[in-house]
Each structure stands twice: as structure tokens, then as C-alpha cells.
């Protein structure tokens, strides 16, 4: 007979994410975290832009998922549940924080044609975007959400989503463009 008081701790093998779990769903949940953890952590990193924040975000989303485990009937929808939880938690976190942007005095070096470091440079450029803009771009192009879905998720209008994603993509293009193609001042 399970009283629900037995507690176990499970550590994600790659990241050290520790989850305290109890009861009969212990093994099923642990298997899910082990199998899907790395993919979900990458999604969390894209949302936050920082490895430690991504780990915290994933941990919080997994706690919510564990608490709702018995109510999630469609196990194929678990990734969507966790991703939605990460987005909602991340939104709550950045609404609580007062983030400031500081312009950079230096432009990064341009990529050479066929640059093998381009994926890293794109991730770094994403990290430099403001949180809300980065979140909108990630949801649109990494998570393949529609503009109305993003609007509902972020609690903003579809028009705001469109302009935020457009400005974000323009910043990314400018950040990744070779120096000869960058414009530091508007041209008439």
C-alpha cells in the first residue's frame, strides 16, 4: 500500500537536474525526464538565453508536469505540456524582473562563407535579443507556433507578435551580416 509519503530523488544524468518524486508514477516520470530532458533543456535554453536559467526553467516546468501527471491523459502531448509550462513560467519570471538593455560598443566579427560556427553565432545573437523578442522569435521559428498561438501564449495582440518577430529577425540579420553589409546609420 502506497501512502504517497515515500520520496525518491532522481537526477538527470546529463545535467544534474534533481526531481523529488513520490508514489506510483515515479518510474514513468523518471523515464520521461531521462528520455526527453536534453531536448527540453535545449528549448529552455532558447527561451532564456542562459544555461543556468534554462536549467531552472526546465526544473520548474518538470515540477508542474509531475504535479499534473495524473491529469495528462495523452502521454504523446507531454512535450507540449512541458514547453507550454516553460513559456508560461518564463513569462512570469521576466514580468517580475526589470530588465534593462545596454547597447554594445562593438559589433561581432562577421561569419566567413560556409562558417562552421554559424549555429553558435545564431545562438549568441539570440542571446543578445531582449527577452520578450527572443521568446517570440523562438516560439515562431524554433517551436513553429503560429502568430495567434504566440499572441495567446504571451498575452499580447497578433499585431504585436508580428512587429516583435519582425524586429527580432531584423536585429538577428543585422547581427549576423558581414561588416560590408551592415548599416550603422540610415542611408537616404
Amino acid at each position: 500500500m502506497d501512502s504517497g509519503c515515500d520520496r525518491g530523488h532522481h537526477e538527470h544524468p546529463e545535467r544534474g537536474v534533481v526531481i523529488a518524486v513520490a508514489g506510483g508514477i515515479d518510474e514513468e516520470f523518471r523515464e520521461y525526464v531521462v528520455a526527453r530532458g536534453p531536448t527540453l533543456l535545449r528549448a529552455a535554453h532558447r527561451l532564456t538565453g542562459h544555461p543556468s536559467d534554462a536549467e531552472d526553467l526546465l526544473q520548474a516546468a518538470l515540477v508542474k508536469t509531475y504535479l499534473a501527471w495524473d491529469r495528462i491523459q495523452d502521454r504523446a502531448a507531454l512535450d507540449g505540456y512541458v514547453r507550454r509550462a516553460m513559456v508560461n513560467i518564463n513569462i512570469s519570471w521576466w514580468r517580475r524582473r526589470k530588465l534593462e538593455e545596454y547597447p554594445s560598443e562593438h559589433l561581432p566579427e562577421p561569419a566567413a562563407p560556409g562558417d562552421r560556427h554559424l549555429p553558435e553565432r545564431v545562438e549568441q545573437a539570440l542571446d543578445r535579443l531582449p527577452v520578450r523578442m527572443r521568446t517570440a522569435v523562438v516560439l515562431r521559428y524554433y517551436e513553429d507556433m503560429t502568430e495567434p498561438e504566440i499572441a495567446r501564449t504571451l498575452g499580447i495582440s497578433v499585431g504585436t507578435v508580428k512587429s516583435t518577430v519582425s524586429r527580432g529577425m531584423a536585429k538577428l540579420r543585422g547581427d549576423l551580416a558581414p561588416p560590408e553589409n551592415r548599416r550603422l546609420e540610415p542611408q537616404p
Side-chain angles (χ1 to χ4, degrees):
M1 184 168 178
D2 183 9
S3 67
C5 295
D6 297 330
R7 296 194 80 69
H9 288 82
H10 296 283
E11 188 170 323
H12 187 282
E14 292 183 26
R15 291 297 202 184
V17 176
V18 177
I19 308 250
V21 294
I25 65 170
D26 182 13
E27 186 61 24
E28 185 183 8
F29 182 75
R30 188 192 68 75
E31 287 174 6
Y32 172 74
V33 172
V34 168
R36 300 300 299 153
T39 299
L40 294 169
L41 186 60
R42 283 190 298 277
H45 185 259
R46 287 186 197 113
L47 286 170
T48 64
H50 301 285
S52 60
D53 291 343
E55 290 175 1
D56 291 344
L57 180 61
L58 178 57
Q59 179 71 31
L62 288 174
V63 167
K64 283 186 174 283
T65 303
Y66 177 77
L67 294 173
W69 193 260
D70 289 334
R71 294 187 314 264
I72 303 171
Q73 300 300 318
D74 182 6
R75 293 297 192 231
L78 283 169
D79 281 6
Y81 185 92
V82 174
R83 283 188 169 103
R84 177 60 56 127
M86 286 192 300
V87 167
N88 291 341
I89 293 165
N90 196 43
I91 290 168
S92 295
W93 288 354
W94 55 257
R95 281 184 178 158
R96 278 188 249 150
R97 288 183 235 162
K98 298 236 183 218
L99 299 175
E100 296 182 24
E101 294 177 48
Y102 297 98
S104 175
E105 293 182 26
H106 306 286
L107 293 173
E109 291 299 316
D115 183 2
R116 63 185 170 99
H117 299 289
L118 185 59
E120 295 164 13
R121 292 184 56 247
V122 170
E123 289 293 325
Q124 291 167 354
L126 270 171
D127 291 347
R128 289 189 288 273
L129 292 177
V131 174
R132 185 171 171 178
M133 190 176 288
R134 177 178 54 244
T135 300
V137 168
V138 166
L139 292 177
R140 180 69 186 102
Y141 295 104
Y142 283 82
E143 299 299 323
D144 202 28
M145 290 175 69
T146 65
E147 291 163 342
E149 289 172 330
I150 297 168
R152 281 190 301 275
T153 300
L154 298 180
I156 58 179
S157 72
V158 173
T160 302
V161 169
K162 289 179 180 182
S163 63
T164 301
V165 170
S166 176
R167 286 192 326 273
M169 293 305 294
K171 284 186 177 198
L172 288 173
R173 280 189 293 277
D175 202 6
L176 297 170
E180 62 271 8
N181 294 345
R182 291 186 189 151
R183 283 198 234 164
L184 298 178
E185 298 178 25
Q187 303 285 321

